[in-house]
Amino acid sequence: MCGIVGYLGGRQATPVLVEGLHRLEYRGYDSAGVAVLDGGEIVVTKTAGRVQDLRDLLVDSPATVGVAHTRWATHGVASDRNAHPHLDAGLRIAVVHNGIIENAEQLRARLQADGVELVSETDTEALAHLIAQQRADSLEDAVRAALRGVEGTYGLVVLDRDRPDELVVARNGSPVVLGVGDGEMFVASDVSALVHHTQRVVFLDDGELATLTATGYRTSTLDARSTSKVPTTVAVAADAYELGGHEDFMRKEMAEQPEAIARALRGRLDERFATAHLGGLALDPMALRAIRRVKFLGCGSAYYAGQMGAVLVEELARVPADAEPASEFRYRNPVVDPDALYVAVSQSGETLDTLAAVQELRRKGGRVIGAVNVVGSAIARECGSGVFLHAGPEVSVASTKALTNMTVSFAMLALLLGRVRDLSAAAGGRIVAGLRGLPGQVERVLADDADIARIAKRYAHARHMFFLGRVRGWPVAREGAQKLKEISYVHAEAYQSAELKHGPLALIDPDMPSVVVVPADDLVAKNIATIEQVKARGGPVIAITNADLPDGLADEVIRVPRGEPELDPILLTIPLQLLAYHTAAALGRDVDRPRNLAKSVTVE
């Protein structure tokens, strides 16, 4: 992985390709490259570096067809020779590829036994040689024949020197989307690379190929059955992927949270019946009442949002609920409960581990819905029903507004499940009012930015931090630790507050700050006791709270507005985003593109 762009049409290809790569930089990468068909030859330019480094190496070309890639290393170190595109020995085939070829070593060994000299350490290079070796009447048939011997995942675009009027695209487990223009065609791994040129797109399914010409496309399966793909329109404004005056995308996306929440709530709250409408679930009241358990499946921040959702479902609907990392669920031969509702959570809708969990559930007859932020994404299509997050495009690797909208959506799901059971109209009305008030409350938290920046700067020197919370505060603490780790590179651990005295307390000292999440609930006294235990051992404490704490209890207090108690996790998460952001900024980190990470994890 990580970013793919292809173009075929009447204008110069190189500017289109480089612009597309620039718009995919947020996905994380370590090298970049372009291949264009110029003067009957494939001309490749690539480098281990940023897109700007690539741009500096490129020369003007009249080429009107080409492919480009930003790579996140999986096979082989980040280097010029391992960067994509890759060519076959005859310099006829150029390939860009996202995913992992699991039988790459066997394929490489077979190629070397045939006398092929491999010039990179990558799995992708093998694909170029395999395609070139096929005796086929068309490039599409050559790609199809080569892929029959390939095991693993791929989003693939192939350029053939001898067929200058077409590109061939294939997908299995890694996203590929076609862009339909006027006398031109585009391909990318994400719609963000396309929306400046067209909003008419075609999402390929796993096991599907497409052949592109300047005037159109045709799609088929790996076994050569024709498929009928009709373009859909993506309602995404091109400027949604622009900074719009902000320093970076994470700051922009944190600031967008009030409006994002309002979008998620729009048309979904029902004051008359004190409930929520989630039409995308495609479940009537009888089906909702038949649900005996809810399990959330996600990875990273989506998993922690699922934990918050599980707490909400148990509190409001009194239905057993839990969350599990999708990456674990897919491998442990899970017992699938026919009376359970499984919720697959993913901002991109393309997270490979979560998609595989969905496919496992469907194979075993489980009822699974998606909670995704990208219409037409693989998880959305695989589930067929679910909740669209309406967060708007999220570019920064660290999820903020998408995570917030996940939790808001789970609050509405919990409200809906509760109201078809025993949650009273009065209690439902209280939650509806609480949800209505969230955008304004989040604005008030964001307005405390300067004070949180001061606190972050005070503790940015710390090499380690604890994040502590109980019940509602526990998944908030886990998400806070995740944010700090991923963008500031400060080591952070989250613990349930009651577990502190069962081992971790040994690590407390004056150089180990603890961030303690204290909701205004019936556990305030317990959380105060936790803070006192930390303070008694010289540990600095930052309290994130909407409760009335004794003066001087914590070294620093970050306050959030008091709303409905069940919704506290949503508000308590916001200052932890700001704390992580300002810590990273104080340390000079690249906030939007943390090292070693990618926005959409489409490999194992």
Side-chain angles (χ1 to χ4, degrees):
M1 57 194 274
C2 199
I4 286 174
V5 186
Y7 175 75
L8 181 66
R11 51 176 143 166
Q12 285 183 286
T14 300
V16 176
L17 297 171
V18 173
E19 180 201 33
L21 292 185
H22 171 68
R23 297 190 183 283
L24 293 175
E25 284 191 281
Y26 72 91
R27 295 171 69 93
Y29 68 102
D30 48 49
S31 59
V34 167
V36 294
L37 193 54
D38 188 352
E41 300 295 332
I42 294 179
V43 179
V44 175
T45 307
K46 55 186 183 177
T47 183
R50 313 307 291 177
V51 170
Q52 183 57 53
D53 300 322
L54 174 67
R55 194 192 306 264
D56 293 341
L57 295 173
L58 289 166
V59 296
D60 190 50
S61 168
T64 58
V65 59
V67 294
H69 192 266
T70 50
R71 175 181 184 257
W72 188 69
T74 56
H75 289 68
V77 299
S79 66
D80 290 357
R81 67 190 179 97
N82 286 334
H84 296 213
H86 287 285
L87 300 177
D88 73 298
L91 309 182
R92 180 174 70 87
I93 298 294
V95 171
V96 291
H97 163 235
N98 283 348
I100 292 179
I101 305 305
E102 294 173 359
N103 61 336
E105 287 306 310
Q106 297 95 308
L107 296 175
R108 287 170 61 91
R110 187 199 312 162
L111 289 165
Q112 288 173 318
D114 291 341
V116 174
E117 182 179 348
L118 299 172
V119 298
S120 77
E121 304 166 271
T122 68
D123 53 345
T124 302
E125 185 188 353
L127 296 175
H129 294 292
L130 287 173
I131 294 167
Q133 286 182 346
Q134 304 305 313
R135 296 183 182 278
D137 294 332
S138 68
L139 179 59
E140 179 182 304
D141 287 341
V143 172
R144 180 178 287 112
L147 290 179
R148 289 191 182 113
V150 168
E151 299 171 8
T153 58
Y154 49 80
L156 187 69
V157 185
V158 184
L159 171 65
D160 186 343
R161 180 192 62 199
D162 296 342
R163 295 176 174 88
D165 299 325
E166 64 182 36
L167 295 172
V168 171
V169 182
R171 171 190 170 130
N172 185 54
S174 191
V176 179
V177 56
L178 314 182
V180 182
D182 184 9
E184 57 186 357
M185 287 292 296
F186 308 84
V187 60
S189 51
D190 191 293
V191 294
S192 60
L194 304 178
V195 293
H196 273 254
H197 306 291
T198 181
Q199 292 188 321
R200 297 177 66 222
V201 301
V202 177
F203 294 96
L204 292 189
D205 291 316
D206 284 349
E208 199 165 28
L209 289 82
T211 295
L212 279 57
T213 66
T215 56
Y217 64 94
R218 65 175 180 271
T219 57
S220 61
T221 63
L222 196 58
D223 58 3
R225 287 182 294 106
S226 178
T227 58
S228 298
K229 288 285 188 175
V230 177
T232 59
T233 300
V234 289
V236 178
D239 61 5
Y241 294 95
E242 304 291 346
L243 282 171
H246 293 274
E247 297 171 38
D248 42 58
F249 281 104
M250 184 174 177
R251 193 172 189 95
K252 174 178 184 275
E253 287 154 13
M254 288 190 296
E256 289 173 343
Q257 288 178 109
E259 175 55 30
I261 294 171
R263 279 197 304 272
L265 297 175
R266 196 167 294 139
R268 288 173 162 173
L269 295 179
D270 182 343
E271 278 83 359
R272 179 184 178 189
F273 294 106
T275 188
H277 292 301
L278 297 173
L281 296 185
L283 296 172
D284 61 26
M286 289 295 291
L288 290 168
R289 283 189 59 84
I291 293 168
R292 294 289 174 261
R293 180 184 173 210
V294 179
K295 179 181 276 290
F296 295 87
L297 298 168
C299 298
S301 290
Y303 164 50
Y304 302 137
Q307 284 194 307
M308 298 179 205
V311 173
L312 280 159
V313 168
E314 290 204 340
E315 287 189 326
L316 296 179
R318 305 306 297 156
V319 173
D322 67 338
E324 181 177 349
S327 52
E328 288 291 301
F329 180 85
R330 64 177 294 199
Y331 285 120
R332 66 172 181 82
N333 191 24
V335 176
V336 175
D337 184 350
D339 296 324
L341 177 67
Y342 295 88
V343 184
V345 193
S346 169
Q347 187 282 136
S348 68
E350 300 286 352
T351 308
L352 183 62
D353 287 314
T354 309
L355 176 60
V358 171
Q359 292 167 339
E360 178 73 4
L361 281 165
R362 286 174 58 81
R363 277 194 295 271
K364 294 185 173 181
R367 179 186 297 164
V368 56
I369 63 172
V372 301
N373 195 41
V374 179
V375 174
S377 59
I379 292 172
R381 297 197 309 275
E382 188 75 30
C383 292
S385 61
V387 181
F388 182 51
L389 300 179
H390 288 291
E394 189 174 70
V395 173
S396 182
V397 167
S399 183
T400 52
K401 62 177 182 175
L403 175 131
T404 299
N405 275 29
M406 288 172 189
T407 315
V408 168
S409 297
F410 299 155
M412 289 189 285
L413 174 62
L415 173 62
L416 177 60
L417 289 171
R419 287 294 289 129
V420 299
R421 287 175 170 78
D422 300 322
L423 188 70
S424 70
R430 179 174 59 80
I431 298 301
V432 168
L435 288 167
R436 290 275 190 216
L438 280 176
Q441 292 173 321
V442 171
E443 284 183 352
R444 289 166 59 189
V445 177
L446 294 170
D448 202 23
D449 181 75
D451 193 50
I452 296 173
R454 175 191 61 78
I455 295 169
K457 187 174 182 180
R458 176 179 177 183
Y459 292 104
H461 69 279
R463 297 182 59 193
H464 311 277
M465 274 194 178
F466 270 155
F467 284 72
L468 306 172
R470 276 184 170 85
V471 189
R472 293 174 183 147
W474 163 231
V476 176
R478 297 192 77 182
E479 167 58 19
Q482 169 94 345
K483 279 290 172 290
L484 189 72
K485 282 183 283 195
E486 66 183 343
I487 64 171
S488 75
Y489 318 147
V490 173
H491 173 243
E493 294 269 5
Y495 282 96
Q496 290 123 323
S497 298
E499 286 295 299
L500 190 63
K501 57 184 175 292
H502 294 290
L505 199 59
L507 294 173
I508 296 294
D509 65 22
D511 296 321
M512 172 77 87
S514 292
V515 178
V516 185
V517 181
V518 188
D521 56 19
D522 55 2
L523 297 175
V524 171
K526 298 286 187 184
N527 283 315
I528 289 174
T530 295
I531 294 173
E532 289 173 336
Q533 288 181 55
V534 173
K535 294 293 292 180
R537 289 154 181 83
V541 171
I542 304 166
I544 313 293
T545 188
N546 57 1
D548 297 322
L549 301 183
D551 291 341
L553 176 68
D555 297 87
E556 298 283 359
V557 178
I558 300 173
R559 299 193 179 278
V560 303
R562 187 173 295 188
E564 297 307 324
E566 295 89 344
L567 304 179
D568 280 349
I570 299 168
L571 289 173
L572 291 166
T573 299
I574 307 299
L576 295 179
Q577 298 172 356
L578 294 167
L579 185 67
Y581 174 88
H582 287 296
T583 300
L587 295 171
R589 311 304 192 205
D590 186 340
V591 176
D592 283 339
R593 292 182 286 272
R595 67 190 183 197
N596 305 329
L597 300 178
K599 180 64 175 173
S600 178
V601 184
T602 56
V603 297
E604 294 189 71

PDB file of all heavy atoms in Angstrom, residues 81-92:
ATOM      1  N   ARG A  81      14.819   1.688  -5.460  1.00  0.00           N
ATOM      2  CA  ARG A  81      14.559   0.491  -6.257  1.00  0.00           C
ATOM      3  C   ARG A  81      13.323  -0.266  -5.793  1.00  0.00           C
ATOM      4  O   ARG A  81      12.700  -0.998  -6.572  1.00  0.00           O
ATOM      5  CB  ARG A  81      15.782  -0.434  -6.276  1.00  0.00           C
ATOM      6  CG  ARG A  81      16.136  -1.080  -4.955  1.00  0.00           C
ATOM      7  CD  ARG A  81      17.500  -1.758  -5.062  1.00  0.00           C
ATOM      8  NE  ARG A  81      17.894  -2.389  -3.804  1.00  0.00           N
ATOM      9  CZ  ARG A  81      17.731  -3.673  -3.542  1.00  0.00           C
ATOM     10  NH1 ARG A  81      17.193  -4.469  -4.460  1.00  0.00           N
ATOM     11  NH2 ARG A  81      18.122  -4.175  -2.389  1.00  0.00           N
ATOM     12  N   ASN A  82      12.927  -0.100  -4.531  1.00  0.00           N
ATOM     13  CA  ASN A  82      11.715  -0.760  -4.048  1.00  0.00           C
ATOM     14  C   ASN A  82      10.458   0.066  -4.274  1.00  0.00           C
ATOM     15  O   ASN A  82       9.343  -0.432  -4.091  1.00  0.00           O
ATOM     16  CB  ASN A  82      11.845  -1.083  -2.561  1.00  0.00           C
ATOM     17  CG  ASN A  82      12.775  -2.255  -2.306  1.00  0.00           C
ATOM     18  OD1 ASN A  82      12.956  -3.116  -3.164  1.00  0.00           O
ATOM     19  ND2 ASN A  82      13.391  -2.287  -1.122  1.00  0.00           N
ATOM     20  N   ALA A  83      10.641   1.330  -4.658  1.00  0.00           N
ATOM     21  CA  ALA A  83       9.485   2.190  -4.911  1.00  0.00           C
ATOM     22  C   ALA A  83       8.741   1.701  -6.151  1.00  0.00           C
ATOM     23  O   ALA A  83       9.320   1.096  -7.052  1.00  0.00           O
ATOM     24  CB  ALA A  83       9.939   3.634  -5.096  1.00  0.00           C
ATOM     25  N   HIS A  84       7.444   1.951  -6.199  1.00  0.00           N
ATOM     26  CA  HIS A  84       6.618   1.645  -7.369  1.00  0.00           C
ATOM     27  C   HIS A  84       6.655   2.849  -8.323  1.00  0.00           C
ATOM     28  O   HIS A  84       6.889   3.968  -7.871  1.00  0.00           O
ATOM     29  CB  HIS A  84       5.170   1.416  -6.949  1.00  0.00           C
ATOM     30  CG  HIS A  84       4.956   0.233  -6.075  1.00  0.00           C
ATOM     31  ND1 HIS A  84       3.802  -0.530  -6.101  1.00  0.00           N
ATOM     32  CD2 HIS A  84       5.743  -0.338  -5.126  1.00  0.00           C
ATOM     33  CE1 HIS A  84       3.880  -1.493  -5.214  1.00  0.00           C
ATOM     34  NE2 HIS A  84       5.046  -1.393  -4.594  1.00  0.00           N
ATOM     35  N   PRO A  85       6.370   2.666  -9.603  1.00  0.00           N
ATOM     36  CA  PRO A  85       5.962   1.457 -10.322  1.00  0.00           C
ATOM     37  C   PRO A  85       7.123   0.484 -10.536  1.00  0.00           C
ATOM     38  O   PRO A  85       8.285   0.872 -10.526  1.00  0.00           O
ATOM     39  CB  PRO A  85       5.445   1.995 -11.661  1.00  0.00           C
ATOM     40  CG  PRO A  85       5.172   3.453 -11.425  1.00  0.00           C
ATOM     41  CD  PRO A  85       6.204   3.875 -10.424  1.00  0.00           C
ATOM     42  N   HIS A  86       6.754  -0.789 -10.777  1.00  0.00           N
ATOM     43  CA  HIS A  86       7.733  -1.825 -11.097  1.00  0.00           C
ATOM     44  C   HIS A  86       7.536  -2.297 -12.532  1.00  0.00           C
ATOM     45  O   HIS A  86       6.402  -2.362 -13.036  1.00  0.00           O
ATOM     46  CB  HIS A  86       7.607  -2.995 -10.122  1.00  0.00           C
ATOM     47  CG  HIS A  86       8.141  -2.665  -8.757  1.00  0.00           C
ATOM     48  ND1 HIS A  86       9.479  -2.594  -8.481  1.00  0.00           N
ATOM     49  CD2 HIS A  86       7.498  -2.350  -7.598  1.00  0.00           C
ATOM     50  CE1 HIS A  86       9.655  -2.262  -7.213  1.00  0.00           C
ATOM     51  NE2 HIS A  86       8.465  -2.101  -6.656  1.00  0.00           N
ATOM     52  N   LEU A  87       8.642  -2.659 -13.176  1.00  0.00           N
ATOM     53  CA  LEU A  87       8.626  -3.071 -14.575  1.00  0.00           C
ATOM     54  C   LEU A  87       9.052  -4.529 -14.713  1.00  0.00           C
ATOM     55  O   LEU A  87       9.754  -5.068 -13.856  1.00  0.00           O
ATOM     56  CB  LEU A  87       9.591  -2.212 -15.396  1.00  0.00           C
ATOM     57  CG  LEU A  87       9.346  -0.698 -15.431  1.00  0.00           C
ATOM     58  CD1 LEU A  87      10.439  -0.018 -16.230  1.00  0.00           C
ATOM     59  CD2 LEU A  87       7.989  -0.382 -16.021  1.00  0.00           C
ATOM     60  N   ASP A  88       8.638  -5.138 -15.821  1.00  0.00           N
ATOM     61  CA  ASP A  88       9.157  -6.459 -16.157  1.00  0.00           C
ATOM     62  C   ASP A  88      10.524  -6.297 -16.813  1.00  0.00           C
ATOM     63  O   ASP A  88      10.970  -5.178 -17.104  1.00  0.00           O
ATOM     64  CB  ASP A  88       8.182  -7.181 -17.090  1.00  0.00           C
ATOM     65  CG  ASP A  88       8.217  -6.600 -18.489  1.00  0.00           C
ATOM     66  OD1 ASP A  88       7.888  -5.408 -18.645  1.00  0.00           O
ATOM     67  OD2 ASP A  88       8.594  -7.333 -19.417  1.00  0.00           O
ATOM     68  N   ALA A  89      11.201  -7.424 -17.058  1.00  0.00           N
ATOM     69  CA  ALA A  89      12.557  -7.382 -17.602  1.00  0.00           C
ATOM     70  C   ALA A  89      12.607  -6.745 -18.986  1.00  0.00           C
ATOM     71  O   ALA A  89      13.612  -6.121 -19.363  1.00  0.00           O
ATOM     72  CB  ALA A  89      13.135  -8.799 -17.650  1.00  0.00           C
ATOM     73  N   GLY A  90      11.545  -6.880 -19.762  1.00  0.00           N
ATOM     74  CA  GLY A  90      11.507  -6.309 -21.104  1.00  0.00           C
ATOM     75  C   GLY A  90      11.061  -4.864 -21.151  1.00  0.00           C
ATOM     76  O   GLY A  90      10.912  -4.295 -22.242  1.00  0.00           O
ATOM     77  N   LEU A  91      10.802  -4.288 -19.991  1.00  0.00           N
ATOM     78  CA  LEU A  91      10.369  -2.887 -19.880  1.00  0.00           C
ATOM     79  C   LEU A  91       9.074  -2.619 -20.635  1.00  0.00           C
ATOM     80  O   LEU A  91       8.826  -1.518 -21.136  1.00  0.00           O
ATOM     81  CB  LEU A  91      11.464  -1.925 -20.370  1.00  0.00           C
ATOM     82  CG  LEU A  91      12.867  -2.120 -19.767  1.00  0.00           C
ATOM     83  CD1 LEU A  91      13.822  -1.067 -20.303  1.00  0.00           C
ATOM     84  CD2 LEU A  91      12.824  -2.087 -18.252  1.00  0.00           C
ATOM     85  N   ARG A  92       8.231  -3.648 -20.710  1.00  0.00           N
ATOM     86  CA  ARG A  92       6.952  -3.519 -21.421  1.00  0.00           C
ATOM     87  C   ARG A  92       5.788  -3.273 -20.478  1.00  0.00           C
ATOM     88  O   ARG A  92       4.849  -2.555 -20.815  1.00  0.00           O
ATOM     89  CB  ARG A  92       6.682  -4.794 -22.237  1.00  0.00           C
ATOM     90  CG  ARG A  92       5.377  -4.777 -23.005  1.00  0.00           C
ATOM     91  CD  ARG A  92       5.220  -5.986 -23.906  1.00  0.00           C
ATOM     92  NE  ARG A  92       5.019  -7.228 -23.177  1.00  0.00           N
ATOM     93  CZ  ARG A  92       3.817  -7.682 -22.768  1.00  0.00           C
ATOM     94  NH1 ARG A  92       2.727  -6.966 -22.985  1.00  0.00           N
ATOM     95  NH2 ARG A  92       3.724  -8.825 -22.138  1.00  0.00           N
TER      96      ARG A  92
END
